[in-house]
Amino acid sequence: MANIIGGITTSHIPAIANAMANGLEDTPYWKPFFDGYPPVRDWLNEKKPDVIILFYNDHGLEFFIDKKPTFAIGVADEYHNADEGWGIPTIPPVTGESDLSWHIANSLVEDGFDMTICQEMKVDHGLTVPLNLMWPGHNYGHVKVIPVCINCEQHPMPQPKRTFALGQAIGRAVQSFDDDLKVAVFGTGGMSHQLDGERAGIINREFDLMCLDKLVSDPEDLTKYSNFDLAEIAGAQGVELNMLIAMRGCLIGDVKELHRNYHAPISNTGSGLMLLEHTMPEK
Ligand code: DHB
Ligand code: FE
């Protein structure tokens, strides 16, 4: 059986790639952020997951606002970066895992989640920045990645209740896959932030910290919020919290927090890094 060994929450902002490309990790601005990552990298290097299921939101590079899947899953063997800006050098492609991807896609549709299934899909900073953070120097080619996109750019967006349920359905789908694969799940983005408008720059540290606590001990409680609540409490782009909620939904067994680093502000965001170890329930 495929086994989910852990879950990780992390920021995905493009400025991180810029800082890494320019060797700024130890500067006063970036150090408190990057200092959080070595324990998570060590854990990944020790546990060596075969596959990462990665929840992120496409920021309009593959799915523009005129055609916006609510939920999309990639089933390709390879994914190319479509991000622009910041002067980032061209980065290597991301390796896919089509067998498990198709298994999850089939299982989700049977389970009532009408996924957009993508045999080709360009990926953006929501996916590539976290991979580079975990395997610096873009050394992520050995790990297979299954991208899962959740719309949080264009209303109507799926509510936290639904994104949590999507995660749970993916957890069950992984459990029903016969091959002995080690899987880790990433939820990228957030936490509180707003990029434009009158409240641009808003960060709600207290709410972010409460969310991190709840992601460990009582994730279902976070499903009481609507996306409008999240926008009000945590800024318009605070709805990226849905990625973290979906990730946590996949952890259908026992969870133990191994590491956490909250730092704000980093660019316009509160950054919540967390590593959760997961023990799969009996089948
Ligand atoms: C920033 C935040 C995001 O979620 C994003 O996708 C891009 C940029 C920022 O705060 O810089
Ligand atoms: Fe984002």
Side-chain angles (χ1 to χ4, degrees), residues 11-14 57-59 124-126 152-153 188-190 193 195 237 240 243 269:
S11 170
H12 66 212
I13 61 171
N57 53 306
D58 177 279
H59 296 78
D124 75 10
H125 61 270
C152 74
E153 288 75 42
T188 87
H193 67 301
L195 298 179
Q237 279 72 46
E240 286 188 356
M243 312 307 135
T269 67

Side-chain angles (χ1 to χ4, degrees), residues 106-172:
N106 285 321
S107 166
L108 285 174
V109 174
E110 277 182 21
D111 219 345
F113 290 87
D114 304 319
M115 307 299 290
T116 297
I117 299 169
C118 304
Q119 300 185 38
E120 275 183 358
M121 184 175 177
K122 292 191 278 311
V123 293
D124 75 10
H125 61 270
L127 182 135
T128 58
V129 166
L131 292 179
N132 191 37
L133 265 169
M134 300 306 167
W135 294 279
H138 297 103
N139 283 310
Y140 46 67
H142 63 287
V143 64
K144 294 175 174 174
V145 178
I146 302 179
V148 182
C149 269
I150 298 176
N151 168 30
C152 74
E153 288 75 42
Q154 170 87 330
H155 293 281
M157 303 164 181
Q159 299 291 345
K161 195 173 173 178
R162 188 72 175 151
T163 58
F164 186 66
L166 173 75
Q168 290 175 310
I170 291 179
R172 293 191 295 271

Side-chain angles (χ1 to χ4, degrees), residues 130-235:
L131 292 179
N132 191 37
L133 265 169
M134 300 306 167
W135 294 279
H138 297 103
N139 283 310
Y140 46 67
H142 63 287
V143 64
K144 294 175 174 174
V145 178
I146 302 179
V148 182
C149 269
I150 298 176
N151 168 30
C152 74
E153 288 75 42
Q154 170 87 330
H155 293 281
M157 303 164 181
Q159 299 291 345
K161 195 173 173 178
R162 188 72 175 151
T163 58
F164 186 66
L166 173 75
Q168 290 175 310
I170 291 179
R172 293 191 295 271
V174 171
Q175 193 181 29
S176 67
F177 192 65
D178 282 339
D179 286 4
D180 271 341
L181 290 175
K182 277 193 273 184
V183 179
V185 281
F186 290 9
T188 87
M191 296 183 75
S192 54
H193 67 301
Q194 175 153 339
L195 298 179
D196 53 16
E198 270 177 29
R199 297 200 308 156
I202 179 185
I203 287 179
N204 189 336
R205 186 187 180 92
E206 217 175 295
F207 182 72
D208 288 347
L209 290 171
M210 183 279 291
C211 287
L212 289 175
D213 288 342
K214 291 280 182 192
L215 282 170
V216 183
S217 58
D218 187 12
E220 201 133 19
D221 191 54
L222 296 173
T223 66
K224 71 186 178 203
Y225 296 106
S226 69
N227 286 321
F228 287 111
D229 294 334
L230 291 181
E232 200 164 53
I233 301 168

Side-chain angles (χ1 to χ4, degrees), residues 20-37:
M20 293 177 82
N22 290 295
L24 303 178
E25 289 94 328
D26 287 328
T27 57
Y29 181 83
W30 285 103
K31 195 169 170 12
F33 169 81
F34 282 106
D35 275 355
Y37 282 83

